[in-house]
Every structure is written in C-alpha cells, then in structure tokens.
Amino acid sequence: MSVPATGRASAGSGESAWHAAWLPPAAFRELGSRGVLVHGDGPLVDTVLDEVSRACARYGGRLWHGPPWPVDADLVLALREAGPVPNAAAEAARLGATPAVNGTGDGSLGDEGYLLTRASGVTVVLADAPAGLLYGMFHVVRLGAAAFDDDLPARRHRPALDRRMLDHWDNVAVHPVSGQVERGYAGGSVFWRDGAARREPARLRDYGRLLAACGVNAICVNNVNVHDTEALLLTDRLGDVAEIAEVLRPYGIRVHLSVTFAAPVLLGGLPTADPLDERVRAWWAAVTRRVYRRIPDFGGYLVKADSEGRPGPFAYGRDHADGANLLAEALAPHGGVVRWRAFVYDHHQDWRDRSTDRARAAHDHFAPLDGRFADNVILQVKFGPIDFQPREPVSPVLAAMPATRLAVEVQATQEYTGQQRHVCYLAPWWSEVLRFRPRGATGGTIADVAAGPAGTGGGLVAVSNVGDDPFWTGHPLAQANLYAFGRLAWDPQMDPGAILDEWIDLTWLPVSTGDPETVRRTMHAVMDDSWRTYERYTAPLGVGFMVRPGHHYGPDVDGYEYTPWGTYHFADRDGVGVDRTRATGTGFTGQYPPPWSEVYESRERCPDELLLFFHHVPYRHVLHSGRTVIQHIYDTHFAGVEEVAAMRERWRLLAGAIDPAVHDRVAERLDEQFRSAVEWRDQINTYFFRKSGIPDAHGRRIH
C-alpha cells in the first residue's frame, strides 16, 4: 500500500511518509498567504514563528517579528505584556481588551487563553502567555478564511479544563503478552522500539504539533502496568524521557511517567516500599529531585497500584491515601502531581457468588478516603464503573468525593469499541458523559467535576490510540477520536458534530480533489452515528463485555461468564442482566446520589440503554420503546449490520475524491467491520434465541 507523503521529516526538509492528519500544509494556506506580525518572545513564541514562517514560505506571505516600525499586517499574534504592538489596529485591540469582552472575569486570559478579534481589517490574537499565543495561532488555522472575515466576533477563549492529558500504554521492551503497546491498535510505539528509545524527533515533533493543535497539554510516555525495563525510566534510563520532553516542550506538552509503587525495592535496594517508612520517603524524595534536575517542567507520576496484580500499599497494611500521599510529598516541592488510578477491584472473584460486584469496587475503595489525599494528588477515575464499555453508567465515584481532585478517564484506543478496525466516533459518548449531572438537573456536570473549583480539578485523560502506523491511529477515521478528545477537554460543551466538522475541514478538505460538500456529507454519514451502530450489533442494553477473553475483539457471549474477572451477564432460560439493586441485588444503585439512585433502582424508570446493567429481567420485559428485551436484541443486531453495509456503500462514493491510500485503508477496514458485525449479529441472536426459545417476531433467519 502506498502512503500519502504529507508528513514532515523535519522543519524545512519537505515531505515524509506519515500522514499529516489535521495539519496538512494546505490547512495553513489562508494564514501563510498573508502578512503576519508576531509580537513577543519566548520558547513557545519561537514555535509560533516557526509555524508561520514555514506557512508563509510555502504560500507567499510575509512574516515580521516585533519590528521597531509600524507594520500593515493582515494577522497579528501578540503577547499583551510585550508592550505596544507596531500595528495600529492591533494596538487599539490590545489597549481595549477589557473584561467587557465576552463579559467574563477581570480581563485576564490566563496561561493558555487568548483573545481573537477583528479590528479595522486586521485579525488579532492577543495572549498573556506564550502558550495562549500558540493555541490562538492554531485557532486561526482551524478557521481558515473565516478568520479574516470582517464580521468575526471578538471572543475570549480559555480552556475549561487546565489538565488535558493522554496516557500511552506503551512498553519500552516488547511484553510477551501485551506487546510493544498494550491495547494498541495502530502498530508499535512512537516512543520505544524493542527495548530502546526510537529517537525519531521529526515524527515525535509532528505528534506534539497535532496534540497542541487540538488542545492536549500533557502526556504519559509509558504503560501504567510498569514492568522491569519500564521501571528504569525513573532512574537509569531517565535520559530517554528527557529527550522526549525536549522534543515535545516547544508545543507546550508536559511529560509524565508511570512508575511502579515497588520502585524503592526494585530500583533502590530497600527491603520495603511501605509508604510510612522514612527510608522509603527519603528514597522517593531523592529520586524525584533527580528527575526535576533533568526535566524541570516534568508533570508528575502516574500510578496503578493494588490492581490486577500491580504492587501497592495494601501489602504493608496501608491504604490508597497513604500510598498516593507518599509520592505527593516527593513531588510537591517541584510543583508536580501524582495521578493515582481508581481502577482497583478484585480480579479473583467467584462467579457463583452474586453478591460480589466489580462495579462497586472503586467506590468501596476510595469514597471512604475522601478528604485524606494531599492537594497534589489527582484520583484518576474511569468514566464508568466497569471498563470502558460501549455503554455503561457514569461512575458513582465522580459524585462521591467532593474533597478530592478527580480526573475523568476515557479510552481513545478502541479496546472495546472495535479496536480501530471499526469506525466508532466516540465524541458523542464522551459528550454524554461530560454533560451528565449526577445530582440531577440542578447539580453540576461531570465536566464540572473534572474542572474542579477554580480550575483545581484533575481534568480529562484519554488512553492514547496512537502508534507508529503511517496514519497514526491505524484506521484513518480513528484520528477523529484523538482530535475530539482534545477539543472536548478544552471545551466540554462543544457539539460532537461541530468537532467532526472541524476535523473534516482540516484533515480532508484541503487535500481533497472532490466536491467539498460531498466529502463532508459522506464523512458525516459514515461517522455521525457510528458509536451507536457499534452498540447495536454488540452487547445489548448496557450489559457489557460478551467479547473474546484476552484480546477483546469479536463476540464470545460466555467468554467471561465463568471466569474470575467479575464481568457477567447472568443469562439463563428466564432472563438476562445483573441485579445491582438495593432491594434484591448487590446494592450498587445505592452508591449514586438521588435522583439517580432511585432511577436506577427502578425497572420502570431505568433508561433502556442501561437496563441490563442494573436489572435481571425476563426476555419478555417491555422496554420504554415498546419492544420486549428479546425483540430489541434481535432488531438492533439486524439493524447494526445493515447500517455497516450502508456505511461501506457510502464510503465507496469517495473513490477518486481523496487520496487512494486513505480510501483503500478505510475500505479495507469497513470490509472487516461488516464481517465482524455479521459475526456479532449471528452469535448474539443465536445465543439468546437458544436461551429464551422465543422466535424473532419478523421471522428473520437466526441460526
């Protein structure tokens, strides 16, 4: 397969073999064809200058950097504190930037915010800090020609969430089970290869560009399951991490590191990792000082402890607050944070014991510890109580710990949503989660929890879907999930459809040879409802899993049903679903505050899409839709396959309109998605027909 040569080998060196994603050179045409003034100095301002300089060189524009004489520019990118701007319109905008703009605050734009306005025929971006200027420049790229319309409204832009982070589950050494990237579906790691650092700064720099352009400002470079080789990144191999930080720093990306709780024993030669042991505290303090000497803007540590076999404080009779606070103490003098994952549960459950419930585990472990974590501890909570399923309720932990900084974790890598072999645009799902109000209509949203009071929250985190594949994410359309994550982390109120428009307009329209409206319309037709299509042909009504154990791709209805992992559906001849009620089940519904504790407790009030998550019901139970549970299963699985077939046909309309390499890759993946959807349909429908003995009301073939 040929690969479009649209990436950058290095600044000024032309084209390369990886896809440019949402930053093809043509996306900079409107900016690069004009006169641009950059006013101010600093490392990230140098990045802005580099971006603008290359765009102007390509498209014939002109660049000035803080000249001492007045400049008649079309675009001004200026730091407000750099003094008078040598452009009359921009200087008037600088002097007039007051709290009246957007009616917000005291006029401050913050470390990452910017003001975008149009004044006297000049487009002006004003920022208080270099990061804001960088984000403002990328906003101009997103707008294209619209950035130079005279009716462009003045608006202040600031991120709703200060922390917008990607977690890479990349291994330095190839792991015998999880490979180079655990749950990676886009090739190898962009950081590591076969036990060593890749040292490909050109591609890594382009990765930083892509992340900054969609709003991501932090990254963790290794797997939360820290194995022996990866543990050395904290000490002997810290130089490798420093090199990555050096490449990403010009795009405002702060590097974090996953560490093992057992590091004092494994790396330091101590007999214990007890968080209350003075020797352990001294070891962490010393090693953290060395980290910051090498990487002054280091973000902090990410820890998975006492979960799925990883070491943690339980071994010493301590709790998670003791463990997290140990690392927080070491990081605090340097301004770092410890991100402590709340993904903690018993993975040795007895499937015969229906009183045990994996969904309860995070709340049971962490809610009693609210208020005990240090200020620089961020508890990182999966958005749902199980494990990144296509449909599950929002985790009750996110409403249960008001005195703790919480981050919301989603999964961009499509472990349970088609593994980047299926089109599954996840922004609508994430948007539902972020807009959910756990205390009812008058309470705050999950986005408010992530933001925290006065911006002190833990932000939004995604498990990365990027690898060394030429298209970054394996499936070219899966790039949209990474882009959408960054945009939703910047503004959780954004409409997923509008985000998709941005991504299409940046990624495909500048390089398309077809009619722009046809390209845009076809992309939307394929992607808009793709998450719900995936949900229709996989596990029904929120019951989850039903996947093949281990690799989690394809259907296996009973694959986990008699295992110790705690992911059950309890289907029998009479019904299906998990009873999590307080009245007769595991009591999980009681972990929610009103009104949801009562809504989920009731079969009659529980939303259809979550019914089997909360209730064990007969197959003839009638849903709000008017269909029985069994008929819903049949209908949705037949419909899902039909929808994938339609997606495949729509995609064929773009042949010749976009790069053949892109079209072929997507067409190949859609063929596999159709094959897999048929497999899901036939296995799920046959399983439940044989369990229930109830035929399809429409007489369709069920094997």
Side-chain angles (χ1 to χ4, degrees):
M1 183 194 74
S2 64
V3 176
T6 53
R8 255 188 330 136
S10 61
S13 68
E15 309 293 346
S16 185
W18 56 85
H19 191 241
W22 49 90
L23 290 181
F28 288 78
R29 181 180 288 110
E30 295 295 338
L31 181 153
S33 61
R34 289 174 160 81
V36 183
L37 166 63
V38 177
H39 183 66
D41 295 288
L44 269 65
V45 177
D46 291 342
T47 305
V48 173
L49 283 165
D50 176 60
E51 293 285 347
V52 175
S53 175
R54 283 187 291 104
C56 288
R58 182 181 290 266
Y59 293 110
R62 185 175 180 185
L63 169 65
W64 297 273
H65 180 208
W69 60 85
V71 172
D72 184 17
D74 301 298
L75 171 65
V76 174
L77 302 156
L79 293 178
R80 291 201 296 185
E81 300 306 313
V85 184
N87 175 277
E91 176 62 6
R94 185 182 78 90
L95 295 174
T98 69
V101 177
N102 255 17
T104 58
D106 59 359
S108 171
L109 298 171
D111 290 339
E112 297 179 307
Y114 55 93
L115 171 67
L116 178 63
T117 188
R118 181 84 173 160
S120 302
V122 179
T123 298
V124 181
V125 176
L126 298 171
D128 289 346
L133 210 62
L134 180 67
Y135 291 127
M137 183 270 296
F138 281 125
H139 191 151
V140 171
V141 173
R142 280 198 301 274
L143 289 174
F148 302 94
D149 289 347
D150 285 336
D151 60 354
L152 183 73
R155 185 178 173 191
R156 179 178 284 109
H157 300 265
R158 294 180 64 172
L161 308 180
D162 290 342
R163 298 177 182 272
R164 309 175 300 278
M165 183 169 173
L166 285 179
D167 286 355
H168 275 255
W169 285 358
D170 297 17
N171 300 312
V172 177
V174 177
H175 188 267
V177 176
S178 58
Q180 190 79 73
V181 182
E182 183 169 346
R183 307 305 179 191
Y185 311 108
S189 170
V190 294
F191 304 121
W192 321 105
R193 180 194 286 140
D194 298 333
R198 289 187 71 113
R199 292 191 168 86
E200 295 179 0
R203 181 155 193 188
L204 194 54
R205 182 177 171 88
D206 273 6
Y207 185 35
R209 293 177 75 232
L210 291 174
L211 297 185
C214 68
V216 172
N217 66 359
I219 196 166
C220 186
V221 299
N222 65 306
N223 194 350
V224 291
N225 293 316
V226 181
H227 308 294
D228 289 355
T229 302
E230 291 72 32
L232 293 170
L233 296 175
L234 182 62
T235 52
D236 297 12
R237 304 189 65 165
L238 180 62
D240 292 342
V241 183
E243 288 181 17
I244 295 170
E246 185 72 19
V247 176
L248 295 178
R249 186 173 293 116
Y251 287 95
I253 313 294
R254 294 185 72 181
V255 163
H256 296 63
L257 190 63
S258 289
V259 297
T260 174
F261 191 79
V265 176
L266 185 64
L267 305 175
L270 295 180
T272 180
D274 184 347
L276 301 190
D277 189 297
E278 288 298 327
R279 295 168 297 175
V280 173
R281 294 172 62 193
W283 185 87
W284 277 109
V287 79
T288 302
R289 282 195 296 272
R290 289 196 293 273
V291 170
Y292 277 92
R293 280 199 294 268
R294 195 68 184 271
I295 312 172
D297 58 349
F298 181 71
Y301 300 137
L302 174 64
V303 183
K304 177 179 177 179
D306 286 312
S307 176
E308 298 183 328
R310 308 315 302 165
F314 287 1
Y316 307 98
R318 314 302 184 191
D319 60 30
H320 288 286
D322 296 325
N325 290 344
L326 161 72
L327 300 180
E329 180 183 56
L331 288 159
H334 313 283
V337 299
V338 55
R339 292 176 166 271
W340 194 270
R341 293 185 85 229
F343 185 53
V344 177
Y345 69 98
D346 176 12
H347 68 292
H348 296 291
Q349 293 181 203
D350 184 346
W351 58 268
R352 292 158 291 202
D353 179 6
R354 292 205 181 190
S355 66
T356 303
D357 186 1
R358 174 169 164 174
R360 291 186 54 104
H363 190 283
D364 287 344
H365 280 294
F366 288 97
L369 302 178
D370 188 36
R372 284 197 47 215
F373 291 97
D375 289 343
N376 62 324
V377 172
I378 294 173
L379 190 63
Q380 195 160 299
V381 184
K382 287 191 179 187
F383 75 85
I386 296 289
D387 194 5
F388 298 133
Q389 296 303 292
R391 178 75 72 172
E392 55 182 295
V394 170
S395 171
V397 177
L398 296 171
M401 303 187 70
T404 303
R405 297 175 75 183
L406 301 179
V408 180
E409 184 180 277
V410 299
Q411 192 178 43
T413 192
Q414 293 172 230
E415 180 179 357
Y416 297 102
T417 52
Q419 300 193 355
Q420 282 140 244
R421 289 181 253 186
H422 298 212
V423 180
C424 189
Y425 180 50
L426 292 168
W429 184 203
W430 296 339
S431 182
E432 281 192 17
V433 170
L434 291 168
R435 293 167 187 257
F436 181 75
R437 297 181 183 273
R439 298 189 180 278
T442 60
T445 65
I446 295 301
D448 295 329
V449 173
T456 60
L460 194 64
V461 183
V463 182
S464 171
N465 62 349
V466 164
D468 68 357
D469 182 88
F471 294 105
W472 299 98
T473 57
H475 198 312
L477 304 190
Q479 292 176 8
N481 288 329
L482 179 58
Y483 182 85
F485 166 76
R487 298 295 286 134
L488 283 171
W490 182 280
D491 181 3
Q493 299 304 312
M494 282 196 74
D495 174 68
I499 295 173
L500 191 57
D501 273 332
E502 285 186 358
W503 176 76
I504 293 168
D505 289 356
L506 284 169
T507 308
W508 306 113
L509 296 191
V511 296
S512 171
T513 58
D515 172 60
E517 281 308 310
T518 299
V519 173
R520 187 183 290 111
R521 185 171 59 251
T522 303
M523 289 277 185
H524 273 283
V526 170
M527 298 181 69
D528 276 344
D529 205 38
S530 55
W531 157 56
R532 293 180 179 87
T533 292
Y534 185 86
E535 181 185 18
R536 287 180 190 113
Y537 64 76
T538 53
L541 299 169
V543 75
F545 274 80
M546 296 188 175
V547 293
R548 290 181 187 144
H551 58 70
H552 297 165
Y553 185 76
D556 188 343
V557 186
D558 281 340
Y560 278 102
E561 192 63 13
Y562 308 103
T563 71
W565 292 95
T567 52
Y568 312 128
H569 56 72
F570 296 136
D572 54 30
R573 68 178 185 178
D574 300 316
V576 59
V578 185
D579 185 353
R580 291 188 162 104
T581 65
R582 300 187 300 281
T584 56
T586 68
F588 173 68
T589 59
Q591 292 186 340
Y592 289 88
W596 293 106
S597 57
E598 303 309 319
V599 170
Y600 294 148
E601 179 78 7
S602 167
R603 277 192 194 182
E604 290 68 35
R605 298 177 64 195
C606 184
D608 283 351
E609 65 270 18
L610 292 172
L611 181 68
L612 301 187
F613 190 95
F614 286 105
H615 297 275
H616 187 87
V617 300
Y619 293 110
R620 296 189 188 275
H621 175 84
V622 179
L623 301 169
H624 296 117
S625 67
R627 288 184 291 188
T628 62
V629 166
I630 191 65
Q631 195 59 46
H632 171 93
I633 291 172
Y634 297 154
D635 289 350
T636 53
H637 285 79
F638 280 111
V641 171
E642 292 168 3
E643 289 162 14
V644 175
M647 290 161 63
R648 191 166 59 162
E649 290 304 310
R650 291 183 182 112
W651 184 255
R652 288 173 179 161
L653 298 175
L654 293 184
I658 61 175
D659 189 285
V662 176
H663 191 272
D664 290 350
R665 174 68 73 90
V666 174
E668 165 201 314
R669 299 288 165 114
L670 283 168
D671 286 345
E672 166 56 20
Q673 183 170 358
F674 179 76
R675 184 210 62 79
S676 182
V678 169
E679 183 182 22
W680 272 99
R681 178 198 66 193
D682 291 347
Q683 288 204 26
I684 297 291
N685 282 350
T686 297
Y687 179 93
F688 284 104
F689 172 61
R690 293 179 180 181
K691 281 283 185 183
S692 69
I694 302 171
D696 172 34
H698 304 293
R700 292 165 293 195
R701 185 184 180 191
I702 297 178
H703 299 271

